[in-house]
Amino acid sequence: MNRPARSHSSGLPLDRIRVVLSHTSHPGNIGAAARAMKTMGLSRLLLVNPKRFPDDQAVARAAGADDILAQAEVYATLDEALADTVHAYALSARHRNLGPPAMPARLAATDILARTDEGEVALLFGNETAGLSNAEVQRCQRTVFIPANPEYTSLNLASAVQLLCYELRLAAFGGRPPVVSKAVPFATPLAAYQDVERFYQHLERVMVASGFLDPQHPRRLVPKLRRLFGRAELESDEINILRGLLDAVEHTLTGKGESREARQDDSGRKQ
């Protein structure tokens, strides 16, 4: 435990940010903080004199972020954890008269990312009960606060880590972090112009047959319906569904309805 923190030379800004937890009392909070970090793309967790670590509760609360725990570095003193950093930020809900300048979390995230161009940066979190001591805060160049409800600013340690890591991720990707979805897109190609026009013709025919539309006094019904469906940007499958629905209504009204084959265009493609 009595060695300086290892320095990383990764080219990725988030990899040059150390999340430092000082004197954490509950191992579950260490695991939850590791989970919070991993979801936002941070990986460097440093622990200063934790009460219990390693611990099964930390692993359980990490919920799959075991690699962050396995790589976590444990130190006896804050000085060792901050060794070789070029800048350190202390998270504190308390504004201190003699402490370093305070910054809101979102502004601080941008500042932290900019500092990573110069070297490694530390983000320091205190004990769950007492927070950071004045001596710990004074080892940092800035304090960071989360602009919470002024009548109740208390946050769980892992929640505070999550919020700061989220702001750092947003800042790292210019407010537009990549989104990877494993879901199969639930969409089909947009309907062609001629298919949409045939739908409108079919719709108007059914409205007349049902008595809903008086062709002698149409008012603005058809233009309004065109505007409604135009906003929807109908897909080809949606056109098929709507035409099938109109067929069913038409068959009920007249005993006649277009077959599926009759709704194919000249090229044989369904509408």
Side-chain angles (χ1 to χ4, degrees):
M1 291 177 61
N2 297 312
R3 66 191 188 284
R6 295 194 300 269
S7 179
H8 286 226
S9 58
S10 168
L12 300 176
L14 293 179
D15 289 339
R16 294 197 292 274
I17 299 173
R18 304 177 185 181
V19 174
V20 182
L21 307 185
S22 179
H23 295 81
T24 310
S25 60
H26 196 291
N29 287 327
I30 297 174
R35 179 182 185 181
M37 292 171 59
K38 187 167 183 175
T39 60
M40 295 298 137
L42 284 86
S43 59
R44 300 205 54 209
L45 176 61
L46 284 71
L47 307 173
V48 177
N49 199 20
K51 187 173 182 179
R52 284 160 43 204
F53 187 83
D55 191 276
D56 290 343
Q57 290 190 56
V59 175
R61 292 287 301 279
D66 304 47
D67 53 330
I68 306 295
L69 294 180
Q71 298 167 18
E73 303 169 34
V74 181
Y75 299 97
T77 68
L78 180 58
D79 288 339
E80 292 169 346
L82 296 182
D84 295 323
T85 59
V86 296
H87 221 71
Y89 295 74
L91 186 84
S92 178
R94 301 196 305 272
H95 294 276
R96 308 171 195 234
N97 292 333
L98 298 178
M103 308 174 70
R106 183 155 296 181
L107 181 61
T110 302
D111 196 62
I112 291 170
L113 265 295
R115 296 285 183 177
T116 61
D117 289 340
E118 304 165 12
E120 295 201 6
V121 179
L123 184 55
L124 175 62
F125 296 83
N127 170 269
E128 298 95 322
T129 304
L132 292 169
S133 68
N134 287 333
E136 289 175 315
V137 171
Q138 288 165 8
R139 280 169 167 73
C140 301
Q141 288 75 44
R142 295 285 188 277
T143 57
V144 181
F145 66 91
I146 295 169
N149 175 5
E151 297 179 1
Y152 189 75
T153 60
S154 175
L155 272 175
N156 172 272
L157 172 60
S159 298
V161 173
Q162 183 77 79
L163 283 170
L164 265 296
C165 290
Y166 169 75
E167 293 293 353
L168 286 166
R169 183 168 183 81
L170 282 185
F173 290 98
R176 298 179 64 87
V179 178
V180 178
S181 174
K182 297 180 181 179
V184 177
F186 187 72
T188 55
L190 291 176
Y193 167 82
Q194 62 271 22
D195 297 337
V196 176
E197 286 303 309
R198 277 193 283 265
F199 159 68
Y200 287 138
Q201 293 166 13
H202 196 174
L203 176 61
E204 188 169 351
R205 186 172 73 240
V206 171
M207 288 193 299
V208 170
S210 68
F212 186 77
L213 173 65
D214 181 354
Q216 302 303 317
H217 303 283
R219 297 181 182 275
R220 300 170 64 186
L221 177 59
V222 172
K224 285 186 175 182
L225 288 171
R226 279 181 171 268
R227 185 174 64 179
L228 185 156
F229 287 111
R231 287 198 301 266
E233 297 185 345
L234 293 169
E235 299 172 2
S236 57
D237 277 1
E238 293 168 340
I239 287 288
N240 287 335
I241 292 169
L242 290 169
R243 295 293 302 277
L245 174 62
L246 292 174
D247 274 348
V249 174
E250 196 169 32
H251 181 78
T252 300
L253 291 172
T254 66
K256 299 178 181 178
E258 287 188 10
S259 67
R260 179 180 291 267
E261 291 75 14
R263 288 192 271 108
Q264 293 179 345
D265 61 17
D266 293 340
S267 66
R269 179 175 50 78
K270 297 176 184 177
Q271 297 178 20

